[in-house]
Amino acid sequence: MKVRDVAEAAGCSIGSVYNEFGDFDGLILTVNRETVQALTERLKAVPADDPLRQLHGLADAYLGFATEHANLLRSLFEHRMEDDRPFPEDILAMVMDAFALMHAPLVRLLPDRDPGDVAVLSRMMFSAVHGIISLGLEERMVAVPPEQLRERLAQFVDTHLAGLGVTRSA
Amino acid sequence: MKVRDVAEAAGCSIGSVYNEFGDFDGLILTVNRETVQALTERLKAVPADDPLRQLHGLADAYLGFATEHANLLRSLFEHRMEDDRPFPEDILAMVMDAFALMHAPLVRLLPDRDPGDVAVLSRMMFSAVHGIISLGLEERMVAVPPEQLRERLAQFVDTHLAGLGVTRSA
DNA sequence: GATTCTTCTTGAACAATGTTCATTTTCGTA
DNA sequence: TACGAAAATGAACATTGTTCAAGAAGAATC
């Protein structure tokens, strides 16, 4: 993304882009905010009736979003602020909220576990899913073949849940 | 990293940097090659006597490397080639080889499983570890609190192995 | 409607950085 | 020493983020 391209696409001058977004970081962060919102919206649309199905749905929804908007997700996770400025708190909070969406179904599946523990478990599980997807979707690094990704991801979730003591029939 | 800084640090001219590395991509890729080699060396130093301990050791070694060389790993995984040039095959192969290091111990722990399946499982497991670590070490996105990362990572490996049917005493 | 003040918009100019290439230096060889 | 090949140089260029004085547009007052 280039400031000049944005200006041309918006039909205004370069200066107006700066009036609107402040600087390049501001431009990127505006895009990233929309990305998190769109992602969250998509994740929240996953049915919450059955917790196990919900977990699979969340992983699958994340995979779908990552497939369709690979570059947006990269911008969200890989962008570094200029001049070591701190990353905006609101975006951090939104991302953490999105990653915490696995918490509710996990609590239902693991009612006896310490809630604080489940909170970490859910974010860790989402981080793992994120890692599998982000590396799996890289054209270059085929850690997991893309055509298998959907199936393998479901397998991963099942395996991990089994390790946590969740029986498949629950 | 800037070409001018490299030239100054090397005590030569800007042009000499270009004679040596071709272009900026060449410079980055040279660094990335050394990064993969250093990472692989470290991972291969993990004792292979006990497969379960080896898996924990690999995860822990990756965490250690990521902690000490966060920016090098980011460069390796996040760098995009200019002008849509293809990513060098040799680096791809080296990264895949590093990620495949979980294969041998997993085969020992899962002797009855289809080898091709275990190959994917091992890369998937490493991708998951990568995701947990890379997000956990981001100052900004504390998916998993850094001070807990080591312990949580071991817990993750254990949980996943349990899900795969590996008994803890094996 | 004219004048003045405020606000917004503009794009030329600047700074930083990757890149090129004619020139210069270095060095081996006759 | 003289010549030619190879290497090194850094000034100049292209791209891109950034600034800001000047101008345009609008609001307010008389």
Side-chain angles (χ1 to χ4, degrees):
Chain A
M1 184 153 62
K2 307 185 224 303
V3 175
R4 281 165 179 77
D5 292 350
V6 171
E8 187 174 3
C12 67
S13 68
I14 297 173
S16 291
V17 175
Y18 276 83
N19 288 338
E20 186 68 24
F21 300 103
D23 59 1
F24 194 69
D25 270 346
L27 187 55
I28 299 284
L29 292 176
T30 299
V31 173
N32 287 356
R33 267 189 201 89
E34 288 184 16
T35 300
V36 192
Q37 279 164 0
L39 172 62
T40 301
E41 201 170 315
R42 185 141 168 180
L43 292 177
K44 283 191 173 171
V46 173
D49 50 351
D50 176 51
L52 202 143
R53 187 154 35 206
Q54 186 181 1
L55 284 178
H56 279 108
L58 287 171
D60 205 51
Y62 193 78
L63 172 59
F65 191 89
T67 303
E68 294 167 24
H69 311 290
N71 42 359
L72 290 181
L73 266 196
R74 271 203 299 270
S75 168
L76 177 60
F77 286 110
E78 297 180 3
H79 175 68
R80 311 278 139 190
M81 303 289 286
E82 298 281 312
D83 203 24
D84 287 337
R85 269 179 292 184
F87 203 83
E89 288 295 332
D90 65 325
I91 296 187
L92 291 188
M94 285 193 284
V95 172
M96 291 314 296
D97 284 352
F99 269 55
L101 284 175
M102 280 191 167
H103 187 227
L106 261 187
V107 165
R108 291 173 68 185
L109 289 173
L110 304 168
D112 299 333
R113 248 190 150 91
D114 174 68
D117 219 53
V118 178
V120 177
L121 276 181
S122 62
R123 290 199 297 266
M124 189 158 62
M125 191 166 179
F126 214 131
S127 297
V129 168
H130 166 83
I132 293 170
I133 290 177
S134 64
L135 285 187
L137 285 183
E138 294 276 347
E139 275 303 316
R140 50 194 209 189
M141 314 209 181
V142 275
V144 180
E147 69 275 8
Q148 296 183 19
L149 206 44
R150 204 180 134 96
E151 182 187 347
R152 293 291 183 176
L153 206 57
Q155 178 188 357
F156 172 83
V157 171
D158 280 334
T159 299
H160 203 72
L161 287 177
L164 288 170
V166 176
T167 60
R168 196 167 302 243
S169 60
Chain B
M1 183 153 63
K2 307 184 223 303
V3 175
R4 282 165 177 76
D5 293 351
V6 172
E8 188 174 4
C12 67
S13 69
I14 298 173
S16 292
V17 175
Y18 276 83
N19 288 339
E20 185 68 24
F21 299 104
D23 58 2
F24 194 69
D25 269 346
L27 187 55
I28 300 283
L29 292 176
T30 299
V31 173
N32 287 357
R33 266 188 201 91
E34 288 185 16
T35 299
V36 193
Q37 279 165 359
L39 172 62
T40 301
E41 200 171 317
R42 184 138 168 185
L43 293 177
K44 283 190 172 170
V46 172
D49 49 353
D50 177 50
L52 202 144
R53 186 155 34 207
Q54 187 181 1
L55 284 177
H56 278 107
L58 287 171
D60 204 52
Y62 194 79
L63 172 59
F65 191 88
T67 303
E68 295 166 25
H69 310 290
N71 42 359
L72 290 180
L73 266 196
R74 272 204 297 271
S75 167
L76 176 60
F77 286 110
E78 297 179 4
H79 175 66
R80 310 281 139 188
M81 302 290 286
E82 298 281 312
D83 203 24
D84 287 336
R85 269 179 293 184
F87 203 83
E89 287 296 330
D90 64 325
I91 296 187
L92 292 188
M94 285 193 286
V95 172
M96 292 314 296
D97 284 351
F99 270 54
L101 285 176
M102 279 190 167
H103 187 228
L106 261 188
V107 165
R108 291 173 68 185
L109 289 173
L110 304 169
D112 298 333
R113 249 191 151 90
D114 174 69
D117 220 52
V118 177
V120 177
L121 276 181
S122 62
R123 291 200 297 267
M124 190 158 60
M125 191 165 179
F126 213 132
S127 298
V129 168
H130 167 83
I132 293 171
I133 290 176
S134 64
L135 285 187
L137 286 183
E138 294 276 345
E139 274 303 317
R140 50 196 208 188
M141 315 208 181
V142 274
V144 179
E147 69 276 9
Q148 297 181 19
L149 205 44
R150 207 179 132 96
E151 182 188 349
R152 292 291 183 176
L153 206 57
Q155 177 188 359
F156 172 84
V157 172
D158 280 334
T159 299
H160 202 71
L161 287 178
L164 288 170
V166 177
T167 61
R168 195 167 302 244
S169 60

